[in-house]
Structures are given as structure tokens and as C-alpha cells.
Amino acid sequence: MKKIGFKSSISIKITFMTLTAIVVAIIVLGAIMYSSVRTLNDNTLEIIEDEVLDLSHEYYGNYIESIEENIKNYIEGVNKELLILKQLTEEFIYSEEFENVDIENLIFSGDWYQNEDSESTAVFVQGYLLDNDNKIKEEPLKLLQSTKFLNHVLPSFSDNGFEKIQVYFQGGKERAIVRMAPWSNIGENVFSVYPELNDVPIWDTFNPGLIEDWEHKKQINGEENIDYGRVTAPVQDGVTGEIVLTYTQPIFEKNQNKVKGVVSTDVSIEEIVSEIEKVKLGSNGFAFLMQSNGNVFALADRGAEILGLGNVSDSTINRDEGYSILERYISQSEYYSVKELYSEILKENREITLEINGERYIVFKEPMKIYRSWTSNDGFFDEYWYLSFVIPEKELYSVYFKTEEEAMTQMNDAITKLSVYMAMIIITLILAIIAYNTKITSGLRKLVIATDDIRNKNYEINLNVRSSDEIGQLANAFESMANEIKLNFQKMSEQNEILVREIDKRKKREQKIDYLENFDVATNLPNKAALINYLNESSKDGKSGETLVVIGIDEFRKINEGYGYVIGDELIKKVSNRLKNSDYGQILFKLKGDEFGLVLKSENFSELIDIIQKIRLELMEPYQVKDRYLTITTSMGVSSFPYDTDNISDLYKFALTAMSHTKEVNKGGYEFYSKDMNIRARNRLEMIASLDQAIAESEFSLVYQPIVDLESEKWEGVETLIRWNHPSQGLIRPDEFIPLAEETKKIIEIGKWVLIKSLEDLKRLHDSGFWIDLSVNVSVVQLVEKSFIDDLMDIVKKSKIPPQCIHLEVTESSFIEDKNAVKEILNRLKEYGLSILIDDFGTGYSSLSYLKDLPISKLKIDKGFVIDLDVKENQEIVNTIIGLSQNLKFGLIAEGIETKEQRQYLLDHGCKLGQGYYYSKPVDIETIEEMLKK
């Protein structure tokens, strides 16, 4: 046998090639692992950075909005208090009762007049308001007399509500007397700060041109309800020396455009500064508040130091106009980057990056429209403040920086360990390959046989090659390979089984998703989406004889509100089961809320109507829901293909339109779709849209119908009725638009207007000497509105009508909504002095239980019973209602009296009050006034 040379040795060649491949593989693997670790590290840091930024936006966004809300509420609260003081002052300053009032005992100091400190309110008269004999001039003296009532008003406003430094009244030009609470030595305090002001007109010194701008604005706006309020920039108060915001409202001469004086409130900006200083933004973060001109007036000292700005005392500047003002403009900073911050804050972006002395900060800011201000140069303008949070970037991203440092350390450690492991593996492989390569070169024939066995899928082989050359090693590797193939096939089989189970799970999951998308969970019926899919598929197939019936439960909302949603949901299931059990060859769907859909397959209309009628009657049978028995009616809409449309997918839209029409005109019945229904539905939507225009364009008007004592025929009061004069449709009846107004809740705004206007008309009658009562209809939608009681009491108070003259008429349907809630509302109205009437009694949900429990004053017999009073059944109903009212000691009013005989019948049977065309049809207020005069 020829000896194998060193260069020809298989062992050496395999060893060299194997080692080369392994080294390359390990290097590539190491590079891949390093790249993966680095990528993972970078991705993790990027995710952490994004999440930190997102959390910061959310946290600081909510935080800054909460601080903004506190500041706005504070400023708006102070301004609302001042508006109340303005209204009180305008109410009483023109009263003739104060024309001859003695003024206070004022002491002349040699330069000014002032009262003693024993008074709760300071009274002060400047030197320039005195004549040559040091007496107070006539105009200031009159103003002192007419404003003496403020001595009782100002202390209350000073001591209560938001904390204030002082509240005061100041006269207009040439009569700028001052009344101020609490008492302060105005002369000593003010002129120690501003000694030059005593002999000069204060308006021309502090606010030259302000009074003229007010009067010009009033001349333009007339009697419109305009807010003339003005708030100053932060200035130094002459009495206390504190930096303040001054809120001012002008008092105009009655029926003139002249400013008689102003009422003002001085509020220390410490209230706002403290709100800013208490903001906690880490160890070095801070907040500041800036005016739109760049003046930073609220800022903690630490923040001022970081931004390179002065503190409050350093920034309070003496002005030539005679007063001091806080001026700390951001442009005055010693840092260029901070100076540029002003223009960045005015932009729309909410996040700004700022660098000061190598330190990076993140600035979050929020603009706030605060108040109306005024300067002699700019006139009146909207003042904006900008609230900003400044947080050091290293604190904001502290988690990110720490994570980055730890990640880099761990990555370097991993690379070091990886290098050591690679060297150890290479050394171990070299030794192993050299030890076993000598066994590879024997047993080649056995390897050929083994190859055929493997080809024939026989993996149980035993080469029994014991040589240590290259062939022996190959034989061992071959046996290992055969075993591995066997194991891999076993694993593949197991993986196939797992894959089959996973596919089965996915199919079940998809089936569940499909179920949730196409079925109603509560009733286990296909839903609206399934119906639409069915109609679309039927449209492709071109089927005919398909009829869709949409069924809606009438007044289902009242069942939910009267008995609760648990009962309502259970009732829906009962209706569903009844429809499932009806055997008319239909396909049943559960649509939205209380609606069901039935697809019937019949081209015979007679048969179709018979099926619909049977279903309607079946659904009217009582339902036992828990311990209750409920009876319902349903309204049905029917549309058929191809009779109503050449596209079967339109059936749902048409059947729904027909069902809505049924609820309007034939509740409890059924209607087949017609094109007129589309027109009616469109008209209904147009009328809803027209309601907004009617409110805005004042298309509503009021008429009144007298309520008369049937025996003496003396007027007891009038009932308010609304009319809508549409610009194109003419007069629209209330029973056409009131239900739509209630459905869209526009009745709330309309009802409020009716209350205000009718009380204005009643005040007109009272002022003319006609002391009669007023009845106003109130919708249940108004009644359950949260602000209804407060709004009503405010309207009554402003009208100056005694509450006892006002009667609110509510329908019986109000009490099916929520009896307990309505009871509480009516009790509060009665405590206020208002009377409650039940309108249209006998036509709704009459129940002795609510009559006994609720604070009702009178019942109104529905006009339908009175107009047909010659019918025996109506007479019995009227007699029953009269007897009921007498037993329960309720008052009684009959509506709809049109004849002398009706009046006499009611009077003979004990009804004392009535209204109707027999006395007067509804007429406008001018006609009512003329009728009362006659």
C-alpha cells in the first residue's frame, strides 16, 4: 500500500479545511452576535427614549393643563364677583332714595378729606376735587351721597369669596371720590408712595384716555350685553405697596354713554405666584408665567436665577406715569438662548429645547387667554399669558441615560466573554480533529452500504468501523447523521401534530371573531352587519320575493328608565325568543337597541299581511320579566323586492324609514314603504335644522290665553303658548315642532327663552296694574336638565315677579321618566314658591300614587273631554276628575271651553276655573293688555 504523503493526507486536508471553516464560522457568528447585541441595545434605548418622551408629554401636558385651569378659575372667579358688584352698584346708584343722604363725617387733612379708621369702609376725596374754600365741589358731593350704600356692600365683597387686597368704588372724571374696603389710610399711604398725585386728576395720570374709550365703546354697542371689564398688568398698589392685578368695571350714567365711575378689585399676584412656585418639577425644574409682551411676572427665585432674570423687588420699576410696575422681560436675560425663548413660546409647538451654560432643558408651554386689558397706546385687547414648565433634560431622561450606561457596560462584558469562549472553542476543536481524523479513512464500503440503507429509509445502521483514521471518523459521523435524521423525522412528526392543533385553534378563534362581528351576544341572533351582508349577497343572486320587516318596540326608552336596564335587557331576550319560536319561514336578525329584522319570503301580499299581523299580535301578549308582567306594542316597517326598489340591498334603509313613519303616524301598527316617506323623513330633518335658525333668527313668538273664574268671569291669569312663524312655511303648529325640539333637546334653549319672554310680558302687565298669574308649559326634557332649577330661579329673580304668581304646567308623561328624581325637582320648585299644574290630565299615565306623593297644586282637564262634553263617556271622565280633585284638595282648570253650555256644566259640577275660545283665543301681549283695560 502506497504511503500517503504529508500534503496528500486526507486527515491533514480535512483538518486544515475544517479548522479554516470553523474559524471563519466563529468569526462570522461573533460578528453577528455583536451586531445583534448592539442592535438590540440601540433598539431598547430608542424604545426607552420614546416612552420617556411620550410619558413626559402626557404627564406634563396634564399637569400644565391642571395649573392653567386653577389660574383661569381664580381669575374668572374674581371677575365674576366684580360683575356682581357692578350690577348691584348700577342697580342702586341711581335710586332717588340716596339723593339727600347725609355724607360721612370727613376730616380735612389740609390736602384731602378722609373719614376715621373706626369706619369699615374708607372714604377719600383728593385735593383737586375741592374749591377755593377747601369745600367739596358739587358733583363729587352728589356722588358721595348716591354711593353711601356701598359702605354696607364693599366690606361684604372684601371679606368673602376670593382673597382680595381691597375692593373700591372710584368716581369718573372730575368726581373721582373713592370708597374702599377694608378701611385704609388712603391719603397717608398713597401720597407717601406718590406725593405728586394729590393735586392732579387721577384718571389723566394713571389711565389717560380709558374713560373716553369706554364711552366710545358704549356708544357703539348701545344697550347690548357687553363685558367692558379691564384688568391691568401687574403694578404696585399705592395703598399697600404690593404688586397687584386690578380688575375694573365701569358704571355708566343711566340711559347715557357717560362713565359715572368704576368698581375695582385689587388682587395680589402672590395668589398666582404661589400657584406657580408650588409646582414640583424634579429637583431643579420650575414653572413660570409670562404675559404676551414677554413680561415674566410669576417665577420662583430659583427659576429666575437659572433664566438669568431678576427677582420681584429688582424688577419693580418706577414709571413716569406716577406708579410702579413689575417689568421682568424675558429679553432682559443675560443668556442669548433665553432671549430667543420668547419667540419660541409664541409659536404653536408645545415643546421647546433650551440650552443654558451647557445645560439642556426641555420647556413645555401652554397659552392661556386670560382677560381683556387696556393701554393708552393699544386700547382694549385680549391679553394672553403663557404658562411654561422648564425641566432639566438630564432629569427628564435620567432613566434613559442610566439604562444607556448599563447597556454599554453589559455589551462590553459580553464581547470580552465571547472572545474568550471563541478562543477556547477553537483550541478544543483543533485538538479533537487531530485526535479523530485518523479514524476516517477506513470502512468506505460499509459507508456505501449504509448510504443505500438510508436511501431506503432504514436508519438502524451499525458500521462497526473501529479504525482511528479519517474513514473511521467519517463512519462515526455517518452513524450520528443517521440517528439525527431519525430524530429529525420524529421531531417533524411531532411538529406536524402541533401545527395541526394550532391551525385548529386559529380556526376556532376566527369563528369566534366572525361570531362577534355578525351576531348579537345577548340574543344569539345575527346582527345588523349580518343582515347587510345577506342583502348584498341576495342582490348579487337577483332573488325576488324578499320582504324585510323592521320591528321597533314602542316607548322602550321609558321601560329602561322606569324599570331599569336589567329589566329592559331581559325583555329584549323575551321578545327575541318569541320571534324565534314563531314559525312563518322567516330569517330573524337583531338590529340596534330595541329593533329586530325579519326577512320573509313571499310574493303574495295577502299572505304577507296576514303573517305580519299575526306576529304583531303575538308580540302584544304580556311578558313575565322577573316579578313583573309587561305589555308592549311594536311598530313595523315593511319593504319588498322588487316592488319598492330594483336593488335588494336598499331594503333595510326603506324598511327602517317605514318603521320610523309608523312610530309617528300609526304607533303600534305597520306601514309599507312609499316614496312619500322619504320626503317626510327629509322634511323632518329639514325642520330639525330649521329649529336652529328659528332660535337664532327670533322666529318664535308668544301668545296668551286667559284663565277665567267661571262664576264671576274675572281673569285669574293667562297661559303662555308658543308660535313659530317660519319664513317660507308660515305658521307651524306646536304639536309639529315641539316633539322634534324635545327629541333633539333644543327644547331646553327654546323653553328658557319662553320663560324669560313671558315673565317680561307679565312684568309689563303688573307694572300697568293688572296683577294676574302666569302659567308656563315645561317639557320633561327641561325638567330633568341639571341646570334647570338654578336657571329658573335666576330668571324669576331677575324678572322681579313674585314666585307665587308663576305656575309651571307639566304633563303626566313626566312621571314615567324617573318619579323619584322628578319628585325631588318639584319639591324644590314648590319650596321656592312656584305652583305645579298637571296639564292634559286624564290622557296619559294617570296614577293616584304620584298624585298623592307629588307637590301638585292644580289639575287641568284635557280639552278633548271638554270639547265633546255632550258625549256621556266624556261627562263621566270629567265628573271623575272633578271628584278626584275635590277629594285630594287640588285646584282644577278646564281647557277647551267653547260654548255657554260647556261653561255651565262645568260650573254646576264643581269646576271653578277654565279657558277656551268661549272667552278668547290665544292672542299677543298687546291684545291681552287692551282686553284687561276694557
Side-chain angles (χ1 to χ4, degrees), residues 81-139:
E81 288 184 8
L82 188 63
L83 284 171
I84 295 173
L85 178 58
K86 166 187 170 74
Q87 293 169 357
L88 285 173
T89 304
E90 288 182 336
E91 181 72 22
F92 292 102
I93 198 170
Y94 308 111
S95 174
E96 296 178 358
E97 298 178 10
F98 301 106
E99 288 184 354
N100 299 314
V101 171
D102 293 334
I103 64 172
E104 295 82 355
N105 181 25
L106 302 180
I107 300 172
F108 183 57
S109 69
D111 289 311
W112 61 77
Y113 277 97
Q114 184 169 295
N115 63 347
E116 297 179 340
D117 60 1
S118 59
E119 302 291 336
S120 60
T121 305
V123 181
F124 178 74
V125 183
Q126 278 184 259
Y128 85 95
L129 298 176
L130 309 180
D131 59 19
N132 294 332
D133 296 328
N134 288 325
K135 302 294 183 184
I136 301 173
K137 295 178 183 178
E138 181 180 0
E139 286 299 317

Side-chain angles (χ1 to χ4, degrees), residues 703-720 761-762 765-766 769-775 805 807 858 893 903 912-934:
V703 293
Y704 301 88
Q705 187 173 45
I707 299 173
V708 181
D709 185 309
L710 298 182
E711 184 172 0
S712 65
E713 298 195 333
K714 175 184 176 182
W715 285 25
E716 294 291 332
V718 292
E719 179 184 359
T720 303
D761 290 345
L762 182 63
L765 296 179
H766 283 188
F770 305 117
W771 281 85
I772 61 175
D773 293 348
L774 177 76
S775 290
C805 296
H807 308 284
K858 291 185 179 70
I893 303 174
R903 166 188 172 272
K912 296 181 179 180
L913 298 176
Q915 64 185 96
Y917 281 19
Y918 178 71
Y919 294 105
S920 172
K921 63 177 62 178
V923 294
D924 58 34
I925 190 63
E926 290 79 10
T927 305
I928 288 290
E929 191 170 12
E930 288 300 318
M931 294 171 70
L932 285 168
K933 288 179 181 178
K934 293 178 182 180

Side-chain angles (χ1 to χ4, degrees), residues 35-48 403-404 406-408 410-411:
S35 176
S36 299
V37 171
R38 187 59 186 258
T39 302
L40 179 62
N41 178 58
D42 292 343
N43 290 341
T44 302
L45 291 174
E46 184 177 349
I47 291 170
I48 292 174
T403 304
E404 182 182 37
E406 292 178 354
M408 293 302 296
Q410 291 175 4
M411 186 179 71

